[in-house]
Amino acid sequence: MLPYWRLSAYYFFYFAFVGAFSPYFSLYLQDLRFSATEIAIQMSMMQVMRIAAPALWGWLADRAGARLPIVRMAALLSLVGFCGFFMTRQFGGMLLAMAIMAFFWSAALPLVESVTFSHLGPHAGRYGRIRLWGSVGFIVVVLGLGRMLDTLPVTAILWVSGALLAGILVCALLIQDVPRTAGVEVGAGLVEILRRREVLAFFGGCFLMSAAHGVLYVFYSVFLVAQGYDKTTVGVMWTIGVVAEILVFMVMPRLQRRFSLRGILLFSCATAVLRFALIGWGAASPLVLVLAQVMHGATFGAFHGAAIAVVNQWFPGRLQSRGQAIYGSVSFGAGGMVGGLTSGLVWDSFGATWAFSLGSSIALVGWIAMAGGWRPGVASEGGRRA
């Protein structure tokens, strides 16, 4: 039977931590008087570790034939690494703590995604009903912590984030794996899939889409506070985006029946072009910001839901853990790192508006790359060939 609530609880705590860390930790770094470039370097360490670490852990899981022991070890050691933030406020020490925490934290999600799809079997369309609990966790924390920070010192971010990492560890201990059937060997089969034009175009588009979001994940909260919004409003804006994401996850099975995965991905990229331009040039209007945050349902929810479905099709059997790891490394890892660092440099040199304009431009390049390199109708066909 599908362990729905155990898997859902893991996603809840995992993305609740994201809801505490991603929107607010940059405010903690700003409180320590780090520059925009230094904040970008610190926050981008999460993405740096997501470049190689997921592939390493995915390879180890395939070789060992065990995923959950790695997930549990990663949960424990990421909590240990996070404790370093309580011990130092120096740039070098905090960067080291970030690196240790990120190296192990980034190991878990691709493996849990693989476990989830193994439990779902032929009912992969139900993934969104499990994943939406991650969005619920994000909302609960981003709203609650935003309200807390209007009255409590900014160090509350550390205590809440640490507690959520402990919750991830507890949930990791409760998840059960499912035996995997023997599949194709990962050597030549993996290389053959990665050489296909549509696969290269897909991963290129994922890289650019995550790079476009870099300015959002690193600087959105800082940007809103600089525009005069209080931290409660910051939390509300993040929540609007995640509510839109939840609604999309709930209807993803219907969307996937009606539209091609390629079409969903291209629509998401086009929406991102408009969204980041609206944020950069229209932040003075709360209505514009609300509209831009509603678009998160497409730029993240629909895009991510379609992307992991593509990976699930193109990397079957024993290739699944490796495929999910490559997706995480290329998109959230390399793409997020490049987007975060580049936006920090543009922010310091030209200002916030142009940093968000850069995100809009990168999303446009992502649309061009994916549309040009991936012929219509290849997604399902690729799944059968792989």
Side-chain angles (χ1 to χ4, degrees), residues 139-198:
I139 288 174
V140 170
V141 172
V142 79
L143 272 180
L145 186 54
R147 188 66 179 268
M148 289 168 60
L149 291 175
D150 280 331
T151 56
L152 296 179
V154 73
T155 51
I157 297 168
L158 297 183
W159 294 101
V160 171
S161 299
L164 292 170
L165 283 173
I168 293 173
L169 174 59
V170 172
C171 292
L173 295 173
L174 296 176
I175 297 176
Q176 296 176 333
D177 208 343
V178 58
R180 291 184 291 177
T181 57
V184 296
E185 293 298 324
V186 298
L190 180 65
V191 174
E192 180 183 355
I193 293 171
L194 291 175
R195 285 177 176 173
R196 296 210 306 262
R197 179 178 176 180
E198 64 271 14

Side-chain angles (χ1 to χ4, degrees), residues 75-378:
L76 174 62
L77 294 181
S78 61
L79 177 59
V80 171
F82 186 84
C83 290
F85 293 126
F86 292 96
M87 303 176 185
T88 181
R89 293 189 171 189
Q90 300 300 313
F91 180 84
M94 293 190 66
L95 191 64
L96 177 61
M98 185 79 80
I100 295 172
M101 188 269 288
F103 179 75
F104 292 104
W105 185 78
S106 63
L109 188 60
L111 296 178
V112 173
E113 300 273 40
S114 177
V115 170
T116 299
F117 275 105
S118 295
H119 278 291
L120 288 171
H123 306 290
R126 295 177 61 191
Y127 165 82
R129 302 296 177 91
I130 296 174
R131 173 58 179 80
L132 69 84
W133 284 103
S135 302
V136 172
F138 186 99
I139 288 174
V140 170
V141 172
V142 79
L143 272 180
L145 186 54
R147 188 66 179 268
M148 289 168 60
L149 291 175
D150 280 331
T151 56
L152 296 179
V154 73
T155 51
I157 297 168
L158 297 183
W159 294 101
V160 171
S161 299
L164 292 170
L165 283 173
I168 293 173
L169 174 59
V170 172
C171 292
L173 295 173
L174 296 176
I175 297 176
Q176 296 176 333
D177 208 343
V178 58
R180 291 184 291 177
T181 57
V184 296
E185 293 298 324
V186 298
L190 180 65
V191 174
E192 180 183 355
I193 293 171
L194 291 175
R195 285 177 176 173
R196 296 210 306 262
R197 179 178 176 180
E198 64 271 14
V199 177
L200 293 173
F202 166 72
F203 280 128
C206 291
F207 168 85
L208 291 164
M209 190 64 157
S210 288
H213 282 72
V215 64
L216 181 82
Y217 294 136
V218 176
F219 290 114
Y220 185 66
S221 297
V222 173
F223 180 54
L224 293 188
V225 171
Q227 293 289 319
Y229 297 101
D230 59 29
K231 295 181 180 67
T232 298
T233 302
V234 172
V236 170
M237 288 299 174
W238 280 101
T239 298
I240 291 170
V242 181
V243 168
E245 173 188 312
I246 290 175
L247 295 175
V248 169
F249 280 136
M250 291 178 67
V251 300
M252 273 305 289
R254 188 179 306 172
L255 291 176
Q256 291 181 25
R257 288 193 298 268
R258 185 169 182 179
F259 303 103
S260 70
L261 296 175
R262 176 182 180 272
I264 294 172
L265 292 169
L266 290 176
F267 175 80
S268 300
C269 289
T271 304
V273 176
L274 177 60
R275 181 190 182 193
F276 295 126
L278 287 175
I279 294 174
W281 295 92
S285 168
L287 183 60
V288 170
L289 288 177
V290 168
L291 176 62
Q293 287 304 92
V294 169
M295 293 180 182
H296 188 73
T299 67
F300 177 79
F303 189 91
H304 178 65
I308 64 163
V310 170
V311 173
N312 190 50
Q313 288 184 9
W314 283 347
F315 296 85
R318 290 184 61 84
L319 292 173
Q320 192 176 101
S321 293
R322 197 80 64 90
Q324 294 291 350
I326 292 171
Y327 166 64
S329 297
V330 169
S331 59
F332 304 117
M337 178 198 69
V338 170
L341 289 175
T342 305
S343 65
L345 294 172
V346 172
W347 188 292
D348 275 339
S349 300
F350 303 103
T353 297
W354 289 106
F356 280 98
S357 299
L358 175 66
S360 177
S361 301
I362 294 173
L364 176 60
V365 177
W367 186 96
I368 294 171
M370 197 173 293
W374 179 359
R375 299 188 312 276
V378 172

Side-chain angles (χ1 to χ4, degrees), residues 65-75 111 172 177:
R67 296 171 287 192
L68 285 180
I70 295 175
V71 171
R72 292 161 181 160
M73 177 200 68
L111 296 178
D177 208 343

